[in-house]
Amino acid sequence: MKMKVDKMGVITYEQMKNACNAFGVASLDKWRTKMTDIKKSWARDEAEFKRAYTCAFELNREDGMNNIETDTCIEMWKMWLPGKCGFLDAWFNFLVNVKKPNVIKKDQWIQFFELCRQTNGDFSKFSDVDDGTWPEIIDDFNEHMNPS
């Protein structure tokens, strides 16, 4: 996102040069420090974190598609949401063993982050934030976690 790349892992010389100049970095050590600073800013600025989280989906999807394979999303959630979602393992179990979707759509990706954010990692709060607009997969997860 900060480097303005179009695809994960595909960085042109010009994009790299512009990013180095914009960030004032000229060595790998300075890049590491800059990345640490960016991650710290995400901890302070939830809106910036959400932009980066959404951008991660955009960068990893296949051209022309609005989804990503579920296995890839699970690996991405492992990187993005530790400490932000207290029910990640239950979500992964649900995806792998119960629902078994082949892909995760962009709205599901974004709304899962919102679920984590709004429940503060406590899935028992789902009913407090359920306004009837969650994607079906999240409603199904709620039913799985809270059977009648």
Side-chain angles (χ1 to χ4, degrees):
M1 178 181 84
K2 295 279 189 183
M3 294 179 75
K4 298 179 171 88
V5 299
D6 300 318
K7 193 77 179 151
M8 186 63 67
V10 180
I11 303 169
T12 67
Y13 175 79
E14 283 300 313
Q15 288 168 326
M16 187 68 177
K17 186 173 94 177
N18 291 341
C20 286
N21 289 334
F23 294 143
V25 297
S27 71
L28 191 53
D29 285 338
K30 292 202 183 241
W31 266 112
R32 286 185 188 111
T33 300
K34 186 62 179 177
M35 291 310 302
T36 299
D37 293 345
I38 289 170
K39 289 177 183 178
K40 285 178 183 175
S41 76
W42 291 343
R44 294 185 306 270
D45 186 344
E46 190 172 273
E48 182 71 4
F49 177 86
K50 185 176 179 181
R51 280 190 293 277
Y53 173 85
T54 301
C55 183
F57 186 92
E58 291 294 325
L59 290 173
N60 281 281
R61 67 183 176 80
E62 295 294 324
D63 290 337
M65 302 300 289
N66 200 30
N67 55 51
I68 298 175
E69 290 182 8
T70 301
D71 291 344
T72 301
C73 285
I74 288 172
E75 294 306 314
M76 290 169 58
W77 279 315
K78 287 177 183 177
M79 291 186 294
W80 284 94
L81 296 180
K84 294 188 178 294
C85 181
F87 47 85
L88 267 181
D89 288 338
W91 174 244
F92 298 157
N93 180 60
F94 174 75
L95 293 175
V96 171
N97 298 311
V98 179
K99 191 71 172 176
K100 302 177 183 178
N102 292 326
V103 297
I104 299 296
K105 298 175 185 172
K106 184 178 178 180
D107 70 315
Q108 296 166 335
W109 173 263
I110 293 169
Q111 290 294 53
F112 183 71
F113 170 75
E114 284 301 315
L115 177 67
C116 295
R117 188 185 69 75
Q118 291 181 31
T119 61
N120 241 354
D122 180 358
F123 197 78
S124 66
K125 295 179 181 178
F126 180 81
S127 60
D128 296 338
V129 298
D130 183 12
D131 63 0
T133 61
W134 296 106
E136 181 181 343
I137 197 168
I138 293 178
D139 282 330
D140 291 348
F141 180 55
N142 176 44
E143 289 175 18
H144 174 74
M145 296 295 288
N146 300 302
S148 308

